[in-house]
C-alpha cells in the first residue's frame, strides 16, 4: 500500500521583513537548532548589505542575489545499459531556491576571519553583482549540463 502524499509545510514569514524567503534562509543558516543566533546572523547581514549598498530595503538586493545564483539546469546520474550517464534536466522550482540559498551560505562558511554576518553580507553582495563562489557554482553546473546535452534523450 502506498504512503499518503504529504502536504508541503508552509513557513510563517519572518518578523522583520515579513518575507517567507528570509524565514527559509534563516532556517538554512541555523546550526544545531540555534534559531535566534541564525536570526541575528541573517538580520545583521541584511543590515550590512543595506548600509554597504546604500539602499532602504536590503530585501530587494537579497532576492536579486538569490535570482542570480538560481540554477535552471542540473545533471542527474542515470544508468542505461551498464553505463552511467550524466543527464541534463531542468531543476524544479523548489530545488532552485534551495540550491541558491545553500550555495550562498556554503560560500560564506568556507571563508574565515570575520563574523558570519559580515561574510554572509559580502557573499550576498557578490551574488548580486554576479560574482562570487555561489555564482561560480551555478555557472559550473550549467556548463556540465550543456556539455552533456548529447545524453538529454535519456531523461525520463
Amino acid at each position: 500500500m502506498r504512503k499518503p502524499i504529504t502536504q508541503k509545510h508552509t513557513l510563517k514569514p519572518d518578523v522583520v521583513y515579513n518575507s517567507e524567503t528570509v524565514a527559509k534562509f534563516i532556517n538554512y543558516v541555523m546550526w544545531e537548532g540555534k534559531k535566534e543566533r541564525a536570526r541575528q546572523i541573517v538580520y545583521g547581514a541584511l543590515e550590512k548589505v543595506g548600509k554597504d549598498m546604500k539602499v532602504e530595503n536590503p530585501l530587494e538586493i537579497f532576492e536579486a542575489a538569490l535570482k542570480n545564483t538560481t540554477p535552471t539546469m542540473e545533471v542527474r546520474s542515470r544508468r542505461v545499459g551498464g553505463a552511467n550517464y550524466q543527464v541534463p534536466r531542468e531543476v524544479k522550482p523548489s530545488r532552485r531556491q534551495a540550491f541558491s540559498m545553500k550555495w550562498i551560505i556554503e560560500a560564506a562558511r568556507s571563508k574565515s576571519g570575520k563574523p558570519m554576518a559580515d561574510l554572509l553580507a559580502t557573499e550576498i553582495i557578490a551574488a548580486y553583482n554576479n560574482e562570487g563562489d555561489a555564482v561560480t557554482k551555478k555557472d559550473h553546473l550549467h556548463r556540465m549540463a550543456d556539455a552533456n546535452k548529447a545524453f538529454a534523450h535519456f531523461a525520463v
Side-chain angles (χ1 to χ4, degrees):
M1 193 162 141
R2 288 186 170 194
K3 288 198 282 186
I5 297 171
T6 56
Q7 295 294 319
K8 290 278 184 190
H9 179 71
T10 54
L11 279 176
K12 293 178 185 170
D14 74 298
V15 290
V16 176
Y17 296 100
N18 199 31
S19 166
E20 288 182 22
T21 310
V22 174
K24 194 173 206 86
F25 194 68
I26 289 169
N27 286 344
Y28 276 112
V29 171
M30 183 169 52
W31 205 276
E32 296 179 349
K34 297 187 188 291
K35 192 163 197 163
E36 193 54 43
R37 185 71 190 118
R39 281 191 187 116
Q40 290 171 357
I41 290 169
V42 172
Y43 293 148
L46 290 175
E47 192 177 301
K48 186 165 173 34
V49 165
K51 283 181 186 172
D52 289 355
M53 301 292 283
K54 296 177 179 74
V55 292
E56 287 281 321
N57 190 7
L59 193 59
E60 295 168 4
I61 290 173
F62 172 67
E63 287 176 350
L66 282 179
K67 189 172 174 245
N68 288 345
T69 57
T70 301
T72 54
M73 297 295 288
E74 68 177 332
V75 289
R76 307 286 298 266
S77 191
R78 176 124 160 80
R79 188 168 178 86
V80 177
N84 286 321
Y85 296 103
Q86 295 291 316
V87 180
R89 304 201 47 198
E90 196 171 320
V91 184
K92 292 179 185 174
S94 59
R95 277 173 58 90
R96 288 179 186 182
Q97 188 182 49
F99 273 136
S100 64
M101 287 183 182
K102 285 178 186 176
W103 290 341
I104 289 174
I105 293 165
E106 189 179 291
R109 283 188 180 141
S110 69
K111 295 170 179 59
S112 62
K114 289 185 187 173
M116 182 61 182
D118 294 349
L119 295 171
L120 200 55
T122 306
E123 197 56 43
I124 289 170
I125 292 168
Y128 174 75
N129 294 325
N130 267 325
E131 46 196 41
D133 294 346
V135 175
T136 306
K137 200 156 193 168
K138 179 193 92 165
D139 291 340
H140 177 70
L141 191 66
H142 281 187
R143 262 189 261 112
M144 279 187 55
D146 199 39
N148 289 305
K149 253 189 208 169
F151 306 124
H153 65 282
F154 288 129
V156 176

